Amino acid sequence: LLSTFAAVAPRECFPKARAAALKALEIDETIGEAHAVLAEVKALYDLDWAGAERGFKRAIGLNPGYATAHQWYGLYLARAGRFNEAFAEMKKAQELDPLSLIINSLVGWVFLQARRYDEAIEQLRQTLAMDPSFTFARFVLGRTYMEKRMHAEAIAEFRTGLGSAPEDSRYVAGLGHAYAVSGRQAEAQKILSESLARSKRGYFPSWTIATIYMGLGDKDRAFQWLGKAVEERGEDMAWLKVGPLWDPLRSDPRFSDLLRRLNLAP
């Protein structure tokens, strides 16, 4: 999960996750949690989508009460555009752990990816009613507002998230993109410059910079940074096939090439 939160690069944490899971399975090969981790590594890092699905099914078969396995499998299905199956798995995860803030937020995320924006907003507001300080829900809500062209509301959510987690690249990307799309070019350029500087000092997810360039209408640089993001791997690129965020780039042949590189092409 360290790469999901941009704490370290995927190449630094996924191999360690794999090694730890394999060590656990040496001790007991029936541990469903370890199979779930291996499946997540196969999907997000190895780009072995078929192998990942087998792994998730094995994990759930061994430990059907493990909510995280249903959560991860639901996200896997959503990334493939299999939304009916995805919602069934996410519902199961919710039933097993109804107070989980991350599961409830991710149900909203899947609604967003399925372009069911009003349902996403309702789900995320319910999650924030459980805990207003859970900033990931605010990030997803902000992204959903962007798809509804509710730019002022989106900016407010991203700024709130940044106030709690100023180093979190997701809120940086969201705010920079929102400023750009809403016509606040100078503010977007400032965030872009800061992001480019951070990328030179250490790991900073390339997809975030691509997002800001896309908002500014610079498709060439957006594709340049998306190419780097594909090399980095990780969860964010796994949403390239279905994510509405990337719709402005879909008609470009370079987008199809990115999907092929991620083994996401039809």
Side-chain angles (χ1 to χ4, degrees):
L1 292 177
L2 286 172
S3 73
T4 298
F5 296 100
V8 297
R11 67 176 178 274
E12 294 179 30
C13 66
F14 277 106
K16 293 178 181 178
R18 189 204 319 274
L22 289 172
K23 180 64 176 177
L25 292 174
E26 283 180 20
I27 298 168
D28 183 351
E29 65 179 13
T30 67
I31 296 175
E33 294 90 336
H35 285 286
V37 170
L38 284 180
E40 193 79 336
V41 172
K42 286 181 179 180
L44 301 181
Y45 191 71
D46 298 337
L47 308 181
D48 177 6
W49 299 100
E53 182 159 24
R54 289 192 297 271
F56 286 127
K57 289 181 175 179
R58 179 85 188 279
I60 290 169
L62 290 168
N63 188 353
Y66 182 41
T68 301
H70 293 280
Q71 168 196 325
W72 286 351
Y73 186 35
L75 297 177
Y76 166 93
L77 293 164
R79 294 180 193 115
R82 295 159 60 182
F83 286 109
N84 288 338
E85 296 169 87
F87 282 116
E89 289 298 324
M90 297 304 290
K91 182 179 179 181
K92 183 64 177 178
Q94 267 186 311
E95 291 171 350
L96 289 167
D97 195 354
L99 298 182
S100 167
L101 295 169
I102 189 62
I103 289 174
N104 278 282
S105 297
L106 287 169
V107 171
W109 175 261
V110 176
F111 276 130
L112 166 61
Q113 304 307 311
R115 299 158 199 265
R116 293 164 60 174
Y117 303 131
D118 291 338
E119 291 164 281
I121 290 170
E122 177 61 25
Q123 173 64 36
L124 294 161
R125 286 175 175 168
Q126 290 177 12
T127 305
L128 287 167
M130 295 165 64
D131 185 349
S133 69
F134 193 66
T135 54
F136 177 70
R138 294 199 178 278
F139 167 73
V140 183
L141 185 56
R143 284 279 296 273
T144 308
Y145 283 147
M146 286 299 296
E147 296 304 325
K148 296 268 289 182
R149 294 178 171 80
M150 299 167 63
H151 297 150
E153 292 84 353
I155 287 169
E157 295 297 339
F158 292 139
R159 291 182 68 177
T160 299
L162 266 179
S164 299
E167 295 298 312
D168 195 316
S169 60
R170 290 172 298 184
Y171 306 117
V172 173
L175 188 58
H177 179 255
Y179 279 150
V181 172
S182 62
R184 297 167 65 171
Q185 304 286 306
E187 290 159 296
Q189 287 286 355
K190 182 175 184 293
I191 291 177
L192 175 61
S193 296
E194 293 168 352
S195 298
L196 289 169
R198 282 179 65 179
S199 73
K200 293 176 181 178
R201 295 195 299 268
Y203 176 65
F204 190 78
S206 294
W207 75 270
T208 62
I209 295 173
T211 301
I212 302 173
Y213 272 126
M214 183 175 63
L216 290 166
D218 191 337
K219 289 188 176 182
D220 289 340
R221 285 194 173 87
F223 275 111
Q224 176 189 344
W225 283 90
L226 278 177
K228 294 179 181 181
V230 168
E231 294 300 321
E232 290 169 2
R233 309 283 175 87
E235 182 175 7
D236 299 293
M237 284 297 91
W239 294 99
L240 207 64
K241 181 176 180 178
V242 298
L245 175 67
W246 308 109
D247 284 354
L249 304 180
R250 289 190 188 281
S251 61
D252 192 300
R254 291 173 289 184
F255 194 84
S256 298
D257 181 61
L258 292 175
L259 294 180
R260 283 192 292 271
R261 290 169 61 188
L262 291 164
N263 292 335
L264 288 169

